[in-house]
Amino acid sequence: MLINGIITAVVVGAILGALGRLVVPGKQRIGCLLTVGIGILAALLGTVVARALHVAHTPGINWIQLAIQVGFAAVGVALVAGTTRRR
């Protein structure tokens, strides 16, 4: 079960990180691993916030939780892209 959880976290992190990069305008000079890491953190934070707002369990696809997670990913990508040095 542990390996499945890790693989799921990486896949979800990659998707959320990519969605976060799509939301942020302009070009971000950050790597793929950093994007996945931001996505994983966004998924965790988004889930915590969705549970606190009591919107974590909805029938069907949980669009509210997904929007919160993508929002966190976009903020994370913007913060990291803004703090990295340009060459």
PDB file of all heavy atoms in Angstrom, residues 1-8:
ATOM      1  N   MET A   1       0.824  -1.187   0.000  1.00  0.00           N
ATOM      2  CA  MET A   1       0.000   0.000   0.000  1.00  0.00           C
ATOM      3  C   MET A   1       0.873   1.259   0.000  1.00  0.00           C
ATOM      4  O   MET A   1       0.485   2.269  -0.540  1.00  0.00           O
ATOM      5  CB  MET A   1      -0.891  -0.060   1.248  1.00  0.00           C
ATOM      6  CG  MET A   1      -2.132   0.732   1.173  1.00  0.00           C
ATOM      7  SD  MET A   1      -3.167   0.268  -0.199  1.00  0.00           S
ATOM      8  CE  MET A   1      -4.454   1.389   0.040  1.00  0.00           C
ATOM      9  N   LEU A   2       2.034   1.214   0.591  1.00  0.00           N
ATOM     10  CA  LEU A   2       2.902   2.380   0.671  1.00  0.00           C
ATOM     11  C   LEU A   2       3.406   2.799  -0.704  1.00  0.00           C
ATOM     12  O   LEU A   2       3.401   3.993  -1.024  1.00  0.00           O
ATOM     13  CB  LEU A   2       4.088   2.089   1.591  1.00  0.00           C
ATOM     14  CG  LEU A   2       5.072   3.222   1.809  1.00  0.00           C
ATOM     15  CD1 LEU A   2       4.382   4.374   2.521  1.00  0.00           C
ATOM     16  CD2 LEU A   2       6.253   2.747   2.600  1.00  0.00           C
ATOM     17  N   ILE A   3       3.796   1.852  -1.532  1.00  0.00           N
ATOM     18  CA  ILE A   3       4.287   2.170  -2.876  1.00  0.00           C
ATOM     19  C   ILE A   3       3.171   2.787  -3.708  1.00  0.00           C
ATOM     20  O   ILE A   3       3.402   3.754  -4.439  1.00  0.00           O
ATOM     21  CB  ILE A   3       4.841   0.895  -3.562  1.00  0.00           C
ATOM     22  CG1 ILE A   3       6.111   0.441  -2.875  1.00  0.00           C
ATOM     23  CG2 ILE A   3       5.089   1.126  -5.036  1.00  0.00           C
ATOM     24  CD1 ILE A   3       7.264   1.391  -3.000  1.00  0.00           C
ATOM     25  N   ASN A   4       1.957   2.261  -3.601  1.00  0.00           N
ATOM     26  CA  ASN A   4       0.827   2.832  -4.340  1.00  0.00           C
ATOM     27  C   ASN A   4       0.573   4.272  -3.928  1.00  0.00           C
ATOM     28  O   ASN A   4       0.272   5.119  -4.767  1.00  0.00           O
ATOM     29  CB  ASN A   4      -0.442   2.003  -4.123  1.00  0.00           C
ATOM     30  CG  ASN A   4      -0.377   0.661  -4.810  1.00  0.00           C
ATOM     31  OD1 ASN A   4       0.409   0.476  -5.727  1.00  0.00           O
ATOM     32  ND2 ASN A   4      -1.188  -0.266  -4.357  1.00  0.00           N
ATOM     33  N   GLY A   5       0.680   4.558  -2.639  1.00  0.00           N
ATOM     34  CA  GLY A   5       0.479   5.922  -2.156  1.00  0.00           C
ATOM     35  C   GLY A   5       1.532   6.880  -2.675  1.00  0.00           C
ATOM     36  O   GLY A   5       1.218   8.014  -3.053  1.00  0.00           O
ATOM     37  N   ILE A   6       2.774   6.426  -2.730  1.00  0.00           N
ATOM     38  CA  ILE A   6       3.864   7.271  -3.232  1.00  0.00           C
ATOM     39  C   ILE A   6       3.680   7.535  -4.727  1.00  0.00           C
ATOM     40  O   ILE A   6       3.818   8.675  -5.185  1.00  0.00           O
ATOM     41  CB  ILE A   6       5.227   6.617  -2.942  1.00  0.00           C
ATOM     42  CG1 ILE A   6       5.483   6.600  -1.435  1.00  0.00           C
ATOM     43  CG2 ILE A   6       6.352   7.337  -3.673  1.00  0.00           C
ATOM     44  CD1 ILE A   6       6.685   5.793  -1.021  1.00  0.00           C
ATOM     45  N   ILE A   7       3.358   6.502  -5.484  1.00  0.00           N
ATOM     46  CA  ILE A   7       3.156   6.667  -6.920  1.00  0.00           C
ATOM     47  C   ILE A   7       1.974   7.594  -7.186  1.00  0.00           C
ATOM     48  O   ILE A   7       2.052   8.479  -8.049  1.00  0.00           O
ATOM     49  CB  ILE A   7       2.957   5.296  -7.600  1.00  0.00           C
ATOM     50  CG1 ILE A   7       4.265   4.499  -7.546  1.00  0.00           C
ATOM     51  CG2 ILE A   7       2.481   5.457  -9.036  1.00  0.00           C
ATOM     52  CD1 ILE A   7       4.150   3.068  -7.983  1.00  0.00           C
ATOM     53  N   THR A   8       0.901   7.423  -6.434  1.00  0.00           N
ATOM     54  CA  THR A   8      -0.265   8.293  -6.585  1.00  0.00           C
ATOM     55  C   THR A   8       0.089   9.735  -6.261  1.00  0.00           C
ATOM     56  O   THR A   8      -0.323  10.659  -6.979  1.00  0.00           O
ATOM     57  CB  THR A   8      -1.411   7.811  -5.679  1.00  0.00           C
ATOM     58  OG1 THR A   8      -1.728   6.458  -6.014  1.00  0.00           O
ATOM     59  CG2 THR A   8      -2.638   8.683  -5.831  1.00  0.00           C
TER      60      THR A   8
END
